[in-house]
Structure formats: structure tokens, C-alpha cells
Amino acid sequence: MSLSVDVDELEKDWSELSDEYRSLETANQQYQELHERLEEMQEKCTKQIQHQRYRMRQISKNIKTYLAKERLTPEDKEKVTQLEKSIMKRKAQIHEIEQGLPQQNSQYLKIILGDVNVSILNRNDKIRYKDEYEKFKLILNVIGLLLSFLNIVFNYRALELVFLFLLVWYYCTLTIRESILKVNGSRIKGWWRLHHFISTVCAGVLLVWPQGEPWQQFRTQFMYFNVYISLVQYMQFRYQKGVLYRLKALGERHNMDITIEGFHSWMWRGLKFLFPFLFLGYVFQCYNAWTLYGLSQHRDATWQIPVLAFLFMILFVGNSLTTLMVILQKQTERTENRYRLMSLIASKRQKTVRQPTNDGAEGGSSANKGDPSTDTEKSK
């Protein structure tokens, strides 16, 4: 009898589980339908974005043609200006819409990862991935600082190879992570991305540089260089993290903007104390290039030495020129804003001066000085 009761209970449990499984099947079917619907909507949005951009290009082209041929009246100029502003606003709106849609991988990611889609559609997951990228840079920077210091104290080939291999792996990983961030809306671009690709090649050449007298002559200088660069990068990271936090809170920066190993326009606020450290690091890169150029004349010189001299010189020139261009751009913007402010103040003063003169003209000459209505109007 007890066995019969136990079997009945088991059958009852199985029946309940079967009902739950049917519910699971229904939920899974709904999920598949929603997923197919989601893909259809994503494709539809992508096509409409392409259509919007095509039409905007045509409108912009027609505006340029119209401006080149026609003499515009003030009303037409105002309309054209409004159109151009609307086009700029629409481009920004489309960019924001794209952040929620899958993006095509860059050619570099296709070579490294294949045709795997690395788009992150959830906003919180994007920010989490960006924060992991920042932590990765910070942790590896500290590890690199410690290994550089140990290589100054101890002259062991195994310790050197560990550090050099870490540099190769770090910069390779950094380029991949930054490419994924770029797909997901990060605005890192231009020289600062190229800088990391060049650094990857530089670290790889250092790794295969054979032991010898030229390496021993350059070794200590290179380790001191890495200690200094690691300290400057840590200073930059702490500063940039705070600036980005404030700018994002004010809505002036994108949530996917990241800290970088160099100077960028949004870093301008309160950065003057970092300028000497940045440029000293760039001069150190130039000094490395000069030292390597001298070592290339050594009787035991290998091909790695002139290649490294060339790479360090590229890094020095690229970093210096890019930073100077950003500084000049920000100074120009500050000068333009100052002149605009001065012009605005001057125009306000002119209006203030003209107002009592007009009142006096309308009210007559000195005969109206005793008129209380005139005095009241002037006080207003």
C-alpha cells in the first residue's frame, strides 16, 4: 500500500513537471518569435538609417551647389543655416540610435576573431565592459611598474623576457579591447589608437632582440623609461578618471568615452600640472631613439636596433604633434570665446548708451527735465 502511495505521488510530481515543461515550451516559442521579430526590426532600423544618411548627403550636396550658384537674401541665408543645424542634429540623433543596434566589426577584429559579432546591445553591459577595460589598464600598469623596477635591481634574462612578453600581450590585448569598444560606441580614434598598434610592434621587436653588448647598453635606460612612463600613466589615469566622471555627470561626455595614454581635448580642464610630465616622457622617447641610432653603428648591432630607433622616433613625433595640435586648438577656442564675449559686452553697452539718448530725443530738450513722467521713464 505504501508503495502504491509513493508511486502515485511520483506520478503526480511528474504530471506537475510536465505542465511546467509545456509552459517552458510556450515561453521558448514566444522567445524565438520575439528574437526573429527583433532581428527583423534591427534590419529595418539599419536600412532606414542608411536611407537617412543617403538623403542627408544629397541635401548637403544640393546646399553646397545652391550656395555656389545663387546670391542669397538674408531670409534664404537663415533658412540654409537652419537646415545645416538640423542636419547636424539629425546626425547626432542617428548616432545615438545606432548604439542600440548591432555594428559591423572592423577589419582588424575580423582578422583576429573572425565574423563573430561583438556588439553589446545592453547599455549597462557596455558600461560594465568599459569599466573592465579601465581596470585592466590600471592593473597591468602597476604590474609593469613593478617588473620594470625589479629589472633595474636584478639583471636576469628570464625576468627581462617576462616583462617584454607582458608588454607584447598587454598591447595586443589593448588593441583588441579598444576595437571592441569602438564597435560599441567609444570615440577613441586617430593617433591614440595607432599609438597602441605601434607600441605592440615595438614590444614584439624588443622581445626578439638577442642578448649582446648593445642590449646591455640600452637595457637600463629602457627600464628607467618604463618606470617613468608607468608613473605618468598612473597620474593621467587618476586625473582623467575624475574629469570624465564630472563631464559625464554634466552630460558633456559620452558614457563610453575612456581614459587614454595621451592628451585629448576633454582633458583640458586643470591639466597644466601634467604638461611637463607628458612632454618629458615624449623627450625620453626621442632620447631612446637617439641612443638606439648610436647603437646601430655598433659592430654587434642587429636589425632590431634601427627598427626600434625608427619606431621610438615615430612615437615621439606623433605624441608631440598631436598634443601640441590639441593645445593650439583649445587656445584658439578660448581666444574665439573671449572675443565673442567682448563683442557681446560691447553690444550690450551700446544698447545701454543709446536708450537714454532716444528717450531724451522723444521727450524734447531741457524743458522736459522737470517732467516727472520723463524722470520715471529714465529710472525704468
Side-chain angles (χ1 to χ4, degrees):
M1 184 66 179
S2 60
L3 288 177
S4 176
V5 171
D6 291 341
V7 170
D8 290 341
E9 288 180 357
L10 291 174
E11 287 181 345
K12 183 179 179 181
D13 290 341
W14 180 254
S15 177
E16 291 177 355
L17 187 60
S18 297
D19 292 337
E20 292 173 359
Y21 178 74
R22 283 191 288 273
S23 176
L24 172 61
E25 281 186 320
T26 303
N28 181 64
Q29 184 178 358
Q30 292 174 350
Y31 166 75
Q32 295 292 340
E33 292 173 355
L34 286 173
H35 192 270
E36 292 175 1
R37 178 65 175 162
L38 175 64
E39 291 179 346
E40 291 177 2
M41 294 304 296
Q42 287 174 349
E43 185 177 355
K44 183 178 179 181
C45 288
T46 302
K47 288 181 178 179
Q48 291 188 2
I49 286 173
Q50 293 173 352
H51 175 71
Q52 286 278 321
R53 284 183 169 152
Y54 171 76
R55 290 295 304 277
M56 282 193 294
R57 283 195 299 269
Q58 294 297 318
I59 293 172
S60 298
K61 184 179 178 181
N62 292 335
I63 288 175
K64 290 180 181 179
T65 305
Y66 182 72
L67 291 174
K69 292 183 179 180
E70 302 290 339
R71 289 186 178 180
L72 302 183
T73 62
E75 293 78 7
D76 289 339
K77 286 183 180 179
E78 185 177 351
K79 290 179 181 178
V80 169
T81 303
Q82 191 61 39
L83 267 175
E84 290 175 340
K85 290 181 180 179
S86 299
I87 290 173
M88 292 295 295
K89 182 179 179 181
R90 181 62 52 81
K91 286 180 180 179
Q93 290 171 335
I94 288 176
H95 178 76
E96 289 299 319
I97 292 173
E98 276 186 320
Q99 303 313 306
L101 297 172
Q103 302 295 316
Q104 289 291 328
N105 290 354
S106 64
Q107 195 63 37
Y108 176 67
L109 281 179
K110 288 180 180 178
I111 293 172
I112 299 295
L113 304 176
D115 202 21
V116 178
N117 194 310
V118 295
S119 296
I120 305 172
L121 301 183
N122 185 279
R123 181 186 181 89
N124 292 330
D125 290 340
K126 284 185 179 183
I127 296 175
R128 193 178 300 116
Y129 182 81
K130 181 199 69 88
D131 290 340
E132 288 297 323
Y133 163 85
E134 300 287 4
K135 291 177 184 176
F136 169 79
K137 284 205 308 180
L138 179 61
I139 292 171
L140 266 294
N141 185 66
V142 173
I143 294 174
L145 174 62
L146 293 175
L147 285 176
S148 301
F149 181 75
L150 289 175
N151 274 288
I152 293 173
V153 177
F154 305 104
N155 191 349
Y156 294 140
R157 181 59 179 171
L159 193 59
E160 293 172 3
L161 292 176
V162 169
F163 174 64
L164 295 175
F165 179 78
L166 178 72
L167 285 180
V168 175
W169 176 77
Y170 169 70
Y171 282 113
C172 282
T173 307
L174 204 62
T175 56
I176 296 172
R177 289 187 177 223
E178 285 175 349
S179 298
I180 295 174
L181 284 168
K182 182 74 174 174
V183 170
N184 288 283
S186 179
R187 298 179 182 180
I188 181 172
K189 57 183 177 181
W191 166 251
W192 305 119
R193 284 193 71 200
L194 181 60
H195 175 275
H196 293 150
F197 283 99
I198 297 174
S199 298
T200 304
V201 177
C202 189
V205 176
L206 281 164
L207 182 63
V208 299
W209 187 353
Q211 277 275 47
E213 188 177 343
W215 165 249
Q216 289 301 323
Q217 292 181 15
F218 180 68
R219 177 188 181 279
T220 304
Q221 176 180 323
F222 177 68
M223 295 305 170
Y224 275 115
F225 168 74
N226 280 283
V227 168
Y228 179 79
I229 291 298
S230 296
L231 291 172
V232 173
Q233 287 179 357
Y234 180 77
M235 291 168 61
Q236 276 188 274
F237 173 81
R238 300 303 304 175
Y239 168 77
Q240 293 180 34
K241 194 75 173 174
V243 173
L244 272 177
Y245 179 81
R246 291 194 299 272
L247 293 180
K248 288 174 185 176
L250 294 170
E252 297 180 26
R253 296 303 306 174
H254 195 268
N255 283 324
M256 291 300 288
D257 284 352
I258 59 176
T259 63
I260 54 177
E261 297 171 8
F263 181 76
H264 213 269
S265 58
W266 51 262
M267 293 168 51
W268 184 259
R269 300 184 181 184
L271 188 68
K272 293 181 180 178
F273 77 97
L274 269 180
F275 283 160
F277 298 101
L278 286 172
F279 281 102
L280 185 58
Y282 301 157
V283 172
F284 210 148
Q285 288 175 334
C286 182
Y287 180 60
N288 286 341
W290 176 255
T291 302
L292 289 164
Y293 174 75
L295 289 174
S296 65
Q297 312 301 321
H298 196 278
R299 66 178 185 278
D300 296 330
T302 57
W303 64 268
Q304 289 90 350
I305 298 176
V307 170
L308 286 169
F310 178 69
L311 292 175
F312 272 110
M313 183 55 66
I314 290 178
L315 292 174
F316 161 69
V317 173
N319 286 335
S320 301
L321 289 180
T322 305
T323 301
L324 287 172
M325 286 172 62
V326 175
I327 292 173
L328 290 174
Q329 175 189 346
K330 296 303 293 185
Q331 289 285 7
T332 303
E333 289 177 2
R334 291 178 66 183
T335 303
E336 289 177 355
N337 291 336
R338 190 183 302 117
Y339 280 127
R340 287 174 186 169
L341 182 60
M342 291 171 64
S343 176
L344 183 62
I345 293 172
S347 63
K348 286 184 176 180
R349 285 178 177 173
Q350 288 177 359
K351 290 180 180 178
T352 305
V353 170
R354 286 173 183 170
Q355 186 66 31
T357 304
N358 293 337
D359 289 341
E362 289 172 2
S365 59
S366 59
N368 287 333
K369 287 183 179 179
D371 190 347
S373 62
T374 306
D375 293 336
T376 305
E377 185 65 24
K378 287 182 179 180
S379 66
K380 289 182 181 180

